[in-house]
Amino acid sequence: ADSSLTRRCHHCSTAMLDVSFLPFCIFLGTLGFLCVAMVGTWCQHWRGGFSLDGSSQTFNWHPVLMVTGLVVLYGAAALVYRIPNTWSSPKLPWKVLHGSLALGAFILTVLGLAAVFHFHNSQGTPNMYSLHSWMGLGTVLLFSCQWAAGFGAFLLPWGPAWLRALYKPIHVFFGSTILMLSVASCVSGINEKLFFSLKNGTMEYKLLPAEAVFANTLGLLILVFGVLVVAALARPSWKHPDSNSPDSRQVQDEL
C-alpha cells in the first residue's frame, strides 16, 4: 500500500511539472520582455533618459543593452534547439538562427560596453575597478570565445563530425555557464548603480525608496529568467535527441 501511494504521489508530482514547451516559451518571452521594459523604464524615469554625449544618460544605454543582449536575447538563442520543430527538420536553418541570435546578443553587448567606457572616460572615472566590471568583462570574453568556437565547429562545412561530437557537451555547458554569469553581472550591476546613485539623505538606498524597490524587483526577475532558461536546457524531455538515438526514432515515428 505504501509503495502504491508513493507511486501515485510521484505520478501526481510529475504531472504537475509536465508543462508543454509552447506555454513555457510564451511565459518566458513575456518575462524577458518585462525585464527589458523595466530596465528601460528605470533608466528613463529615474536616471534621466538616454544620450550619446558622455554624460550619465550615455551610461543608461549600458544596463538596457546588457539586459537585452546578454540575458534575454542570449537566453532565446540558447532555447532554439528546444523547439520541437527542430527535431524533424533540417538542422542548418536552426543553426543559422541560433548563431544569428547569439551574434545579435554579442553586438548589443559590445555596444553596452562601449557606452559604459565612453561614460567613464568622459567623466574621468577609472575603468575595470569593481567586481561587477571584472565579472562582466570576463563573461563577454567567454561569450566571444563560445560564439567563435561554435561557429567553427558547427556552421563551417569542413568541421569534422568527431570534433562536433567532442565539443557539443562543452558548448552546452558553457552556454548555461555564460547565461548565469550574465545574470550575476546584471544583478551586481543593478546593485552597484543603486549604491552609487542613491546617496541623498531622503533617498538613500538603505531607506528603500521607490527606485530601489523597482530596480531590486528587476534584478529578481532577471534572476528568475536565467534560472528558467537553465532549467529548460536541463529538462530531458525538451532536449534535441541525437539522430541515431531511440528517442529520436520514436519522435520521427510519431511525427
Side-chain angles (χ1 to χ4, degrees), residues 74 77-78 81 95 98-99 102 142-155 163-179 233:
Y74 184 82
Y81 289 115
K95 288 182 180 181
H98 173 74
L142 188 59
F143 183 8
S144 62
C145 294
Q146 167 89 341
W147 192 92
F151 180 81
F154 300 119
L155 275 176
L163 178 62
R164 296 178 182 179
L166 179 66
Y167 177 62
K168 181 180 177 181
I170 300 174
H171 186 75
V172 172
F173 169 77
F174 277 105
S176 298
T177 300
I178 291 168
L179 179 62
L233 293 175

PDB file of all heavy atoms in Angstrom, residues 74 77-78 81 95 98-99 102 142-155 163-179 233:
ATOM      1  N   TYR A  74      20.284  36.314 -25.515  1.00  0.00           N
ATOM      2  CA  TYR A  74      21.138  35.136 -25.364  1.00  0.00           C
ATOM      3  C   TYR A  74      20.327  33.936 -24.865  1.00  0.00           C
ATOM      4  O   TYR A  74      20.527  32.805 -25.312  1.00  0.00           O
ATOM      5  CB  TYR A  74      22.281  35.436 -24.397  1.00  0.00           C
ATOM      6  CG  TYR A  74      23.269  34.313 -24.259  1.00  0.00           C
ATOM      7  CD1 TYR A  74      24.280  34.132 -25.184  1.00  0.00           C
ATOM      8  CD2 TYR A  74      23.191  33.415 -23.196  1.00  0.00           C
ATOM      9  CE1 TYR A  74      25.190  33.093 -25.068  1.00  0.00           C
ATOM     10  CE2 TYR A  74      24.092  32.385 -23.063  1.00  0.00           C
ATOM     11  CZ  TYR A  74      25.086  32.223 -24.003  1.00  0.00           C
ATOM     12  OH  TYR A  74      25.977  31.187 -23.882  1.00  0.00           O
ATOM     13  N   ALA A  77      18.459  32.522 -27.768  1.00  0.00           N
ATOM     14  CA  ALA A  77      19.354  31.744 -28.623  1.00  0.00           C
ATOM     15  C   ALA A  77      19.616  30.363 -28.025  1.00  0.00           C
ATOM     16  O   ALA A  77      19.654  29.354 -28.745  1.00  0.00           O
ATOM     17  CB  ALA A  77      20.671  32.495 -28.814  1.00  0.00           C
ATOM     18  N   ALA A  78      19.765  30.301 -26.719  1.00  0.00           N
ATOM     19  CA  ALA A  78      20.048  29.025 -26.062  1.00  0.00           C
ATOM     20  C   ALA A  78      18.897  28.044 -26.193  1.00  0.00           C
ATOM     21  O   ALA A  78      19.111  26.820 -26.204  1.00  0.00           O
ATOM     22  CB  ALA A  78      20.370  29.258 -24.591  1.00  0.00           C
ATOM     23  N   TYR A  81      17.211  25.146 -29.875  1.00  0.00           N
ATOM     24  CA  TYR A  81      17.202  23.704 -30.112  1.00  0.00           C
ATOM     25  C   TYR A  81      16.232  22.948 -29.208  1.00  0.00           C
ATOM     26  O   TYR A  81      16.149  21.732 -29.288  1.00  0.00           O
ATOM     27  CB  TYR A  81      18.603  23.134 -29.942  1.00  0.00           C
ATOM     28  CG  TYR A  81      19.532  23.550 -31.052  1.00  0.00           C
ATOM     29  CD1 TYR A  81      20.627  24.363 -30.791  1.00  0.00           C
ATOM     30  CD2 TYR A  81      19.305  23.157 -32.369  1.00  0.00           C
ATOM     31  CE1 TYR A  81      21.471  24.760 -31.803  1.00  0.00           C
ATOM     32  CE2 TYR A  81      20.145  23.544 -33.388  1.00  0.00           C
ATOM     33  CZ  TYR A  81      21.228  24.349 -33.101  1.00  0.00           C
ATOM     34  OH  TYR A  81      22.068  24.739 -34.113  1.00  0.00           O
ATOM     35  N   LYS A  95      20.570  26.116 -37.001  1.00  0.00           N
ATOM     36  CA  LYS A  95      21.930  26.515 -36.619  1.00  0.00           C
ATOM     37  C   LYS A  95      22.170  27.986 -36.935  1.00  0.00           C
ATOM     38  O   LYS A  95      22.749  28.721 -36.138  1.00  0.00           O
ATOM     39  CB  LYS A  95      22.956  25.653 -37.363  1.00  0.00           C
ATOM     40  CG  LYS A  95      23.063  24.222 -36.895  1.00  0.00           C
ATOM     41  CD  LYS A  95      24.152  23.494 -37.679  1.00  0.00           C
ATOM     42  CE  LYS A  95      24.297  22.057 -37.234  1.00  0.00           C
ATOM     43  NZ  LYS A  95      25.362  21.352 -37.976  1.00  0.00           N
ATOM     44  N   HIS A  98      20.205  30.077 -34.441  1.00  0.00           N
ATOM     45  CA  HIS A  98      20.885  30.050 -33.144  1.00  0.00           C
ATOM     46  C   HIS A  98      22.108  30.959 -33.160  1.00  0.00           C
ATOM     47  O   HIS A  98      22.308  31.792 -32.262  1.00  0.00           O
ATOM     48  CB  HIS A  98      21.289  28.610 -32.824  1.00  0.00           C
ATOM     49  CG  HIS A  98      22.133  28.467 -31.593  1.00  0.00           C
ATOM     50  ND1 HIS A  98      21.635  28.597 -30.322  1.00  0.00           N
ATOM     51  CD2 HIS A  98      23.464  28.196 -31.449  1.00  0.00           C
ATOM     52  CE1 HIS A  98      22.603  28.425 -29.435  1.00  0.00           C
ATOM     53  NE2 HIS A  98      23.727  28.180 -30.095  1.00  0.00           N
ATOM     54  N   GLY A  99      22.927  30.824 -34.209  1.00  0.00           N
ATOM     55  CA  GLY A  99      24.127  31.642 -34.309  1.00  0.00           C
ATOM     56  C   GLY A  99      23.814  33.115 -34.512  1.00  0.00           C
ATOM     57  O   GLY A  99      24.514  33.982 -33.968  1.00  0.00           O
ATOM     58  N   ALA A 102      22.638  34.645 -31.211  1.00  0.00           N
ATOM     59  CA  ALA A 102      23.799  34.818 -30.338  1.00  0.00           C
ATOM     60  C   ALA A 102      24.670  35.972 -30.821  1.00  0.00           C
ATOM     61  O   ALA A 102      25.191  36.752 -30.007  1.00  0.00           O
ATOM     62  CB  ALA A 102      24.612  33.522 -30.284  1.00  0.00           C
ATOM     63  N   LEU A 142      34.331  35.363 -22.501  1.00  0.00           N
ATOM     64  CA  LEU A 142      33.957  33.955 -22.612  1.00  0.00           C
ATOM     65  C   LEU A 142      32.877  33.760 -23.668  1.00  0.00           C
ATOM     66  O   LEU A 142      32.901  32.788 -24.435  1.00  0.00           O
ATOM     67  CB  LEU A 142      33.469  33.449 -21.253  1.00  0.00           C
ATOM     68  CG  LEU A 142      33.204  31.948 -21.119  1.00  0.00           C
ATOM     69  CD1 LEU A 142      34.450  31.142 -21.419  1.00  0.00           C
ATOM     70  CD2 LEU A 142      32.694  31.632 -19.712  1.00  0.00           C
ATOM     71  N   PHE A 143      31.945  34.692 -23.737  1.00  0.00           N
ATOM     72  CA  PHE A 143      30.884  34.656 -24.732  1.00  0.00           C
ATOM     73  C   PHE A 143      31.467  34.716 -26.142  1.00  0.00           C
ATOM     74  O   PHE A 143      31.059  33.966 -27.044  1.00  0.00           O
ATOM     75  CB  PHE A 143      29.934  35.835 -24.482  1.00  0.00           C
ATOM     76  CG  PHE A 143      28.729  35.900 -25.377  1.00  0.00           C
ATOM     77  CD1 PHE A 143      28.393  34.873 -26.248  1.00  0.00           C
ATOM     78  CD2 PHE A 143      27.908  37.020 -25.347  1.00  0.00           C
ATOM     79  CE1 PHE A 143      27.262  34.953 -27.073  1.00  0.00           C
ATOM     80  CE2 PHE A 143      26.790  37.114 -26.156  1.00  0.00           C
ATOM     81  CZ  PHE A 143      26.479  36.075 -27.026  1.00  0.00           C
ATOM     82  N   SER A 144      32.438  35.608 -26.360  1.00  0.00           N
ATOM     83  CA  SER A 144      33.042  35.728 -27.686  1.00  0.00           C
ATOM     84  C   SER A 144      33.770  34.454 -28.081  1.00  0.00           C
ATOM     85  O   SER A 144      33.682  34.004 -29.237  1.00  0.00           O
ATOM     86  CB  SER A 144      33.999  36.921 -27.718  1.00  0.00           C
ATOM     87  OG  SER A 144      35.065  36.754 -26.805  1.00  0.00           O
ATOM     88  N   CYS A 145      34.468  33.841 -27.142  1.00  0.00           N
ATOM     89  CA  CYS A 145      35.146  32.564 -27.425  1.00  0.00           C
ATOM     90  C   CYS A 145      34.138  31.470 -27.732  1.00  0.00           C
ATOM     91  O   CYS A 145      34.349  30.644 -28.634  1.00  0.00           O
ATOM     92  CB  CYS A 145      36.018  32.164 -26.239  1.00  0.00           C
ATOM     93  SG  CYS A 145      37.421  33.265 -25.927  1.00  0.00           S
ATOM     94  N   GLN A 146      33.042  31.463 -26.987  1.00  0.00           N
ATOM     95  CA  GLN A 146      31.992  30.466 -27.195  1.00  0.00           C
ATOM     96  C   GLN A 146      31.389  30.598 -28.587  1.00  0.00           C
ATOM     97  O   GLN A 146      31.182  29.598 -29.285  1.00  0.00           O
ATOM     98  CB  GLN A 146      30.908  30.644 -26.123  1.00  0.00           C
ATOM     99  CG  GLN A 146      29.601  29.904 -26.360  1.00  0.00           C
ATOM    100  CD  GLN A 146      29.615  28.504 -25.788  1.00  0.00           C
ATOM    101  OE1 GLN A 146      30.683  27.945 -25.524  1.00  0.00           O
ATOM    102  NE2 GLN A 146      28.459  27.927 -25.585  1.00  0.00           N
ATOM    103  N   TRP A 147      31.112  31.834 -29.004  1.00  0.00           N
ATOM    104  CA  TRP A 147      30.496  32.033 -30.318  1.00  0.00           C
ATOM    105  C   TRP A 147      31.460  31.632 -31.430  1.00  0.00           C
ATOM    106  O   TRP A 147      31.073  30.954 -32.384  1.00  0.00           O
ATOM    107  CB  TRP A 147      30.069  33.492 -30.498  1.00  0.00           C
ATOM    108  CG  TRP A 147      29.192  33.666 -31.709  1.00  0.00           C
ATOM    109  CD1 TRP A 147      27.831  33.619 -31.747  1.00  0.00           C
ATOM    110  CD2 TRP A 147      29.624  33.901 -33.057  1.00  0.00           C
ATOM    111  NE1 TRP A 147      27.381  33.800 -33.041  1.00  0.00           N
ATOM    112  CE2 TRP A 147      28.467  33.976 -33.860  1.00  0.00           C
ATOM    113  CE3 TRP A 147      30.869  34.051 -33.657  1.00  0.00           C
ATOM    114  CZ2 TRP A 147      28.520  34.188 -35.240  1.00  0.00           C
ATOM    115  CZ3 TRP A 147      30.927  34.259 -35.029  1.00  0.00           C
ATOM    116  CH2 TRP A 147      29.770  34.335 -35.805  1.00  0.00           C
ATOM    117  N   ALA A 148      32.725  32.041 -31.318  1.00  0.00           N
ATOM    118  CA  ALA A 148      33.708  31.722 -32.351  1.00  0.00           C
ATOM    119  C   ALA A 148      33.927  30.215 -32.452  1.00  0.00           C
ATOM    120  O   ALA A 148      33.981  29.649 -33.555  1.00  0.00           O
ATOM    121  CB  ALA A 148      35.027  32.442 -32.061  1.00  0.00           C
ATOM    122  N   ALA A 149      34.029  29.542 -31.304  1.00  0.00           N
ATOM    123  CA  ALA A 149      34.232  28.091 -31.321  1.00  0.00           C
ATOM    124  C   ALA A 149      33.008  27.375 -31.872  1.00  0.00           C
ATOM    125  O   ALA A 149      33.129  26.416 -32.636  1.00  0.00           O
ATOM    126  CB  ALA A 149      34.552  27.599 -29.902  1.00  0.00           C
ATOM    127  N   GLY A 150      31.808  27.834 -31.504  1.00  0.00           N
ATOM    128  CA  GLY A 150      30.591  27.222 -32.031  1.00  0.00           C
ATOM    129  C   GLY A 150      30.461  27.427 -33.527  1.00  0.00           C
ATOM    130  O   GLY A 150      30.040  26.513 -34.253  1.00  0.00           O
ATOM    131  N   PHE A 151      30.803  28.619 -34.006  1.00  0.00           N
ATOM    132  CA  PHE A 151      30.755  28.890 -35.442  1.00  0.00           C
ATOM    133  C   PHE A 151      31.701  27.967 -36.196  1.00  0.00           C
ATOM    134  O   PHE A 151      31.349  27.385 -37.221  1.00  0.00           O
ATOM    135  CB  PHE A 151      31.111  30.351 -35.705  1.00  0.00           C
ATOM    136  CG  PHE A 151      31.090  30.730 -37.159  1.00  0.00           C
ATOM    137  CD1 PHE A 151      29.893  31.031 -37.794  1.00  0.00           C
ATOM    138  CD2 PHE A 151      32.273  30.793 -37.895  1.00  0.00           C
ATOM    139  CE1 PHE A 151      29.869  31.382 -39.140  1.00  0.00           C
ATOM    140  CE2 PHE A 151      32.264  31.142 -39.228  1.00  0.00           C
ATOM    141  CZ  PHE A 151      31.060  31.437 -39.860  1.00  0.00           C
ATOM    142  N   GLY A 152      32.923  27.813 -35.676  1.00  0.00           N
ATOM    143  CA  GLY A 152      33.894  26.968 -36.350  1.00  0.00           C
ATOM    144  C   GLY A 152      33.533  25.493 -36.322  1.00  0.00           C
ATOM    145  O   GLY A 152      33.762  24.762 -37.291  1.00  0.00           O
ATOM    146  N   ALA A 153      32.945  25.051 -35.213  1.00  0.00           N
ATOM    147  CA  ALA A 153      32.658  23.616 -35.075  1.00  0.00           C
ATOM    148  C   ALA A 153      31.364  23.198 -35.756  1.00  0.00           C
ATOM    149  O   ALA A 153      31.290  22.107 -36.340  1.00  0.00           O
ATOM    150  CB  ALA A 153      32.602  23.251 -33.591  1.00  0.00           C
ATOM    151  N   PHE A 154      30.333  24.054 -35.722  1.00  0.00           N
ATOM    152  CA  PHE A 154      29.002  23.615 -36.154  1.00  0.00           C
ATOM    153  C   PHE A 154      28.502  24.251 -37.448  1.00  0.00           C
ATOM    154  O   PHE A 154      27.646  23.678 -38.122  1.00  0.00           O
ATOM    155  CB  PHE A 154      27.981  23.892 -35.052  1.00  0.00           C
ATOM    156  CG  PHE A 154      28.283  23.193 -33.760  1.00  0.00           C
ATOM    157  CD1 PHE A 154      28.522  23.912 -32.601  1.00  0.00           C
ATOM    158  CD2 PHE A 154      28.342  21.815 -33.693  1.00  0.00           C
ATOM    159  CE1 PHE A 154      28.804  23.273 -31.406  1.00  0.00           C
ATOM    160  CE2 PHE A 154      28.618  21.158 -32.511  1.00  0.00           C
ATOM    161  CZ  PHE A 154      28.866  21.896 -31.367  1.00  0.00           C
ATOM    162  N   LEU A 155      29.012  25.418 -37.810  1.00  0.00           N
ATOM    163  CA  LEU A 155      28.499  26.079 -39.005  1.00  0.00           C
ATOM    164  C   LEU A 155      29.425  25.966 -40.215  1.00  0.00           C
ATOM    165  O   LEU A 155      28.954  25.906 -41.346  1.00  0.00           O
ATOM    166  CB  LEU A 155      28.227  27.560 -38.711  1.00  0.00           C
ATOM    167  CG  LEU A 155      26.857  27.857 -38.094  1.00  0.00           C
ATOM    168  CD1 LEU A 155      26.741  29.340 -37.743  1.00  0.00           C
ATOM    169  CD2 LEU A 155      25.725  27.466 -39.033  1.00  0.00           C
ATOM    170  N   LEU A 163      34.856  16.121 -34.195  1.00  0.00           N
ATOM    171  CA  LEU A 163      35.092  17.350 -33.446  1.00  0.00           C
ATOM    172  C   LEU A 163      33.784  17.919 -32.902  1.00  0.00           C
ATOM    173  O   LEU A 163      33.721  18.380 -31.759  1.00  0.00           O
ATOM    174  CB  LEU A 163      35.776  18.379 -34.344  1.00  0.00           C
ATOM    175  CG  LEU A 163      36.043  19.753 -33.711  1.00  0.00           C
ATOM    176  CD1 LEU A 163      36.979  19.617 -32.513  1.00  0.00           C
ATOM    177  CD2 LEU A 163      36.634  20.714 -34.751  1.00  0.00           C
ATOM    178  N   ARG A 164      32.724  17.864 -33.717  1.00  0.00           N
ATOM    179  CA  ARG A 164      31.430  18.353 -33.270  1.00  0.00           C
ATOM    180  C   ARG A 164      30.923  17.531 -32.089  1.00  0.00           C
ATOM    181  O   ARG A 164      30.385  18.083 -31.123  1.00  0.00           O
ATOM    182  CB  ARG A 164      30.432  18.307 -34.423  1.00  0.00           C
ATOM    183  CG  ARG A 164      30.790  19.218 -35.574  1.00  0.00           C
ATOM    184  CD  ARG A 164      29.797  19.094 -36.712  1.00  0.00           C
ATOM    185  NE  ARG A 164      30.180  19.943 -37.839  1.00  0.00           N
ATOM    186  CZ  ARG A 164      29.510  20.029 -38.968  1.00  0.00           C
ATOM    187  NH1 ARG A 164      28.410  19.303 -39.146  1.00  0.00           N
ATOM    188  NH2 ARG A 164      29.923  20.820 -39.939  1.00  0.00           N
ATOM    189  N   ALA A 165      31.070  16.194 -32.190  1.00  0.00           N
ATOM    190  CA  ALA A 165      30.612  15.330 -31.106  1.00  0.00           C
ATOM    191  C   ALA A 165      31.408  15.575 -29.827  1.00  0.00           C
ATOM    192  O   ALA A 165      30.857  15.531 -28.719  1.00  0.00           O
ATOM    193  CB  ALA A 165      30.733  13.868 -31.528  1.00  0.00           C
ATOM    194  N   LEU A 166      32.704  15.858 -29.981  1.00  0.00           N
ATOM    195  CA  LEU A 166      33.552  16.103 -28.817  1.00  0.00           C
ATOM    196  C   LEU A 166      33.232  17.447 -28.171  1.00  0.00           C
ATOM    197  O   LEU A 166      33.195  17.573 -26.942  1.00  0.00           O
ATOM    198  CB  LEU A 166      35.025  16.062 -29.242  1.00  0.00           C
ATOM    199  CG  LEU A 166      36.067  16.328 -28.143  1.00  0.00           C
ATOM    200  CD1 LEU A 166      36.037  15.207 -27.105  1.00  0.00           C
ATOM    201  CD2 LEU A 166      37.464  16.447 -28.756  1.00  0.00           C
ATOM    202  N   TYR A 167      32.978  18.452 -29.001  1.00  0.00           N
ATOM    203  CA  TYR A 167      32.794  19.808 -28.491  1.00  0.00           C
ATOM    204  C   TYR A 167      31.368  20.084 -28.022  1.00  0.00           C
ATOM    205  O   TYR A 167      31.151  20.978 -27.197  1.00  0.00           O
ATOM    206  CB  TYR A 167      33.186  20.824 -29.575  1.00  0.00           C
ATOM    207  CG  TYR A 167      32.971  22.258 -29.161  1.00  0.00           C
ATOM    208  CD1 TYR A 167      33.667  22.798 -28.078  1.00  0.00           C
ATOM    209  CD2 TYR A 167      32.054  23.065 -29.815  1.00  0.00           C
ATOM    210  CE1 TYR A 167      33.465  24.107 -27.671  1.00  0.00           C
ATOM    211  CE2 TYR A 167      31.842  24.377 -29.418  1.00  0.00           C
ATOM    212  CZ  TYR A 167      32.546  24.890 -28.357  1.00  0.00           C
ATOM    213  OH  TYR A 167      32.342  26.176 -27.953  1.00  0.00           O
ATOM    214  N   LYS A 168      30.378  19.346 -28.521  1.00  0.00           N
ATOM    215  CA  LYS A 168      28.974  19.653 -28.225  1.00  0.00           C
ATOM    216  C   LYS A 168      28.682  19.752 -26.728  1.00  0.00           C
ATOM    217  O   LYS A 168      28.083  20.752 -26.274  1.00  0.00           O
ATOM    218  CB  LYS A 168      28.055  18.627 -28.881  1.00  0.00           C
ATOM    219  CG  LYS A 168      26.577  18.913 -28.638  1.00  0.00           C
ATOM    220  CD  LYS A 168      25.690  17.874 -29.311  1.00  0.00           C
ATOM    221  CE  LYS A 168      24.218  18.126 -29.008  1.00  0.00           C
ATOM    222  NZ  LYS A 168      23.350  17.103 -29.647  1.00  0.00           N
ATOM    223  N   PRO A 169      29.044  18.755 -25.882  1.00  0.00           N
ATOM    224  CA  PRO A 169      28.729  18.902 -24.446  1.00  0.00           C
ATOM    225  C   PRO A 169      29.468  20.073 -23.802  1.00  0.00           C
ATOM    226  O   PRO A 169      28.937  20.707 -22.876  1.00  0.00           O
ATOM    227  CB  PRO A 169      29.177  17.561 -23.844  1.00  0.00           C
ATOM    228  CG  PRO A 169      30.120  16.981 -24.844  1.00  0.00           C
ATOM    229  CD  PRO A 169      29.667  17.452 -26.177  1.00  0.00           C
ATOM    230  N   ILE A 170      30.648  20.406 -24.301  1.00  0.00           N
ATOM    231  CA  ILE A 170      31.379  21.566 -23.787  1.00  0.00           C
ATOM    232  C   ILE A 170      30.632  22.849 -24.146  1.00  0.00           C
ATOM    233  O   ILE A 170      30.487  23.765 -23.322  1.00  0.00           O
ATOM    234  CB  ILE A 170      32.812  21.587 -24.363  1.00  0.00           C
ATOM    235  CG1 ILE A 170      33.552  20.316 -23.959  1.00  0.00           C
ATOM    236  CG2 ILE A 170      33.566  22.833 -23.889  1.00  0.00           C
ATOM    237  CD1 ILE A 170      34.925  20.182 -24.599  1.00  0.00           C
ATOM    238  N   HIS A 171      30.147  22.908 -25.377  1.00  0.00           N
ATOM    239  CA  HIS A 171      29.400  24.071 -25.855  1.00  0.00           C
ATOM    240  C   HIS A 171      28.126  24.271 -25.031  1.00  0.00           C
ATOM    241  O   HIS A 171      27.789  25.395 -24.642  1.00  0.00           O
ATOM    242  CB  HIS A 171      29.046  23.870 -27.329  1.00  0.00           C
ATOM    243  CG  HIS A 171      28.409  25.051 -27.976  1.00  0.00           C
ATOM    244  ND1 HIS A 171      29.113  26.178 -28.345  1.00  0.00           N
ATOM    245  CD2 HIS A 171      27.121  25.278 -28.339  1.00  0.00           C
ATOM    246  CE1 HIS A 171      28.290  27.047 -28.902  1.00  0.00           C
ATOM    247  NE2 HIS A 171      27.067  26.532 -28.903  1.00  0.00           N
ATOM    248  N   VAL A 172      27.427  23.185 -24.756  1.00  0.00           N
ATOM    249  CA  VAL A 172      26.189  23.261 -23.976  1.00  0.00           C
ATOM    250  C   VAL A 172      26.486  23.706 -22.547  1.00  0.00           C
ATOM    251  O   VAL A 172      25.781  24.554 -21.981  1.00  0.00           O
ATOM    252  CB  VAL A 172      25.469  21.898 -23.985  1.00  0.00           C
ATOM    253  CG1 VAL A 172      24.292  21.904 -23.016  1.00  0.00           C
ATOM    254  CG2 VAL A 172      24.998  21.557 -25.397  1.00  0.00           C
ATOM    255  N   PHE A 173      27.542  23.147 -21.960  1.00  0.00           N
ATOM    256  CA  PHE A 173      27.896  23.509 -20.577  1.00  0.00           C
ATOM    257  C   PHE A 173      28.230  24.989 -20.468  1.00  0.00           C
ATOM    258  O   PHE A 173      27.723  25.698 -19.581  1.00  0.00           O
ATOM    259  CB  PHE A 173      29.082  22.668 -20.103  1.00  0.00           C
ATOM    260  CG  PHE A 173      29.686  23.149 -18.809  1.00  0.00           C
ATOM    261  CD1 PHE A 173      29.060  22.874 -17.608  1.00  0.00           C
ATOM    262  CD2 PHE A 173      30.862  23.894 -18.800  1.00  0.00           C
ATOM    263  CE1 PHE A 173      29.594  23.327 -16.402  1.00  0.00           C
ATOM    264  CE2 PHE A 173      31.401  24.348 -17.610  1.00  0.00           C
ATOM    265  CZ  PHE A 173      30.770  24.056 -16.408  1.00  0.00           C
ATOM    266  N   PHE A 174      29.077  25.477 -21.363  1.00  0.00           N
ATOM    267  CA  PHE A 174      29.474  26.877 -21.286  1.00  0.00           C
ATOM    268  C   PHE A 174      28.338  27.805 -21.686  1.00  0.00           C
ATOM    269  O   PHE A 174      28.303  28.967 -21.245  1.00  0.00           O
ATOM    270  CB  PHE A 174      30.710  27.136 -22.144  1.00  0.00           C
ATOM    271  CG  PHE A 174      31.993  26.792 -21.451  1.00  0.00           C
ATOM    272  CD1 PHE A 174      32.689  25.645 -21.789  1.00  0.00           C
ATOM    273  CD2 PHE A 174      32.482  27.601 -20.444  1.00  0.00           C
ATOM    274  CE1 PHE A 174      33.864  25.323 -21.135  1.00  0.00           C
ATOM    275  CE2 PHE A 174      33.660  27.281 -19.777  1.00  0.00           C
ATOM    276  CZ  PHE A 174      34.359  26.130 -20.126  1.00  0.00           C
ATOM    277  N   GLY A 175      27.384  27.320 -22.484  1.00  0.00           N
ATOM    278  CA  GLY A 175      26.209  28.129 -22.782  1.00  0.00           C
ATOM    279  C   GLY A 175      25.432  28.461 -21.520  1.00  0.00           C
ATOM    280  O   GLY A 175      25.068  29.624 -21.283  1.00  0.00           O
ATOM    281  N   SER A 176      25.173  27.455 -20.691  1.00  0.00           N
ATOM    282  CA  SER A 176      24.473  27.687 -19.427  1.00  0.00           C
ATOM    283  C   SER A 176      25.316  28.514 -18.462  1.00  0.00           C
ATOM    284  O   SER A 176      24.805  29.389 -17.749  1.00  0.00           O
ATOM    285  CB  SER A 176      24.099  26.350 -18.778  1.00  0.00           C
ATOM    286  OG  SER A 176      23.224  25.609 -19.593  1.00  0.00           O
ATOM    287  N   THR A 177      26.626  28.243 -18.447  1.00  0.00           N
ATOM    288  CA  THR A 177      27.521  28.975 -17.554  1.00  0.00           C
ATOM    289  C   THR A 177      27.547  30.459 -17.895  1.00  0.00           C
ATOM    290  O   THR A 177      27.474  31.323 -17.006  1.00  0.00           O
ATOM    291  CB  THR A 177      28.945  28.396 -17.638  1.00  0.00           C
ATOM    292  OG1 THR A 177      28.916  27.016 -17.256  1.00  0.00           O
ATOM    293  CG2 THR A 177      29.893  29.155 -16.715  1.00  0.00           C
ATOM    294  N   ILE A 178      27.646  30.772 -19.181  1.00  0.00           N
ATOM    295  CA  ILE A 178      27.687  32.171 -19.610  1.00  0.00           C
ATOM    296  C   ILE A 178      26.387  32.878 -19.247  1.00  0.00           C
ATOM    297  O   ILE A 178      26.395  34.040 -18.817  1.00  0.00           O
ATOM    298  CB  ILE A 178      27.964  32.253 -21.121  1.00  0.00           C
ATOM    299  CG1 ILE A 178      29.397  31.808 -21.413  1.00  0.00           C
ATOM    300  CG2 ILE A 178      27.732  33.667 -21.653  1.00  0.00           C
ATOM    301  CD1 ILE A 178      29.686  31.584 -22.878  1.00  0.00           C
ATOM    302  N   LEU A 179      25.256  32.195 -19.416  1.00  0.00           N
ATOM    303  CA  LEU A 179      23.977  32.818 -19.075  1.00  0.00           C
ATOM    304  C   LEU A 179      23.910  33.154 -17.589  1.00  0.00           C
ATOM    305  O   LEU A 179      23.496  34.262 -17.206  1.00  0.00           O
ATOM    306  CB  LEU A 179      22.820  31.904 -19.461  1.00  0.00           C
ATOM    307  CG  LEU A 179      21.428  32.454 -19.124  1.00  0.00           C
ATOM    308  CD1 LEU A 179      21.161  33.750 -19.891  1.00  0.00           C
ATOM    309  CD2 LEU A 179      20.344  31.425 -19.429  1.00  0.00           C
ATOM    310  N   LEU A 233      16.945  24.099 -20.374  1.00  0.00           N
ATOM    311  CA  LEU A 233      18.063  23.436 -21.041  1.00  0.00           C
ATOM    312  C   LEU A 233      18.372  22.087 -20.400  1.00  0.00           C
ATOM    313  O   LEU A 233      18.833  21.166 -21.079  1.00  0.00           O
ATOM    314  CB  LEU A 233      19.307  24.330 -20.983  1.00  0.00           C
ATOM    315  CG  LEU A 233      19.249  25.627 -21.783  1.00  0.00           C
ATOM    316  CD1 LEU A 233      20.500  26.466 -21.522  1.00  0.00           C
ATOM    317  CD2 LEU A 233      19.096  25.350 -23.271  1.00  0.00           C
TER     318      LEU A 233
END
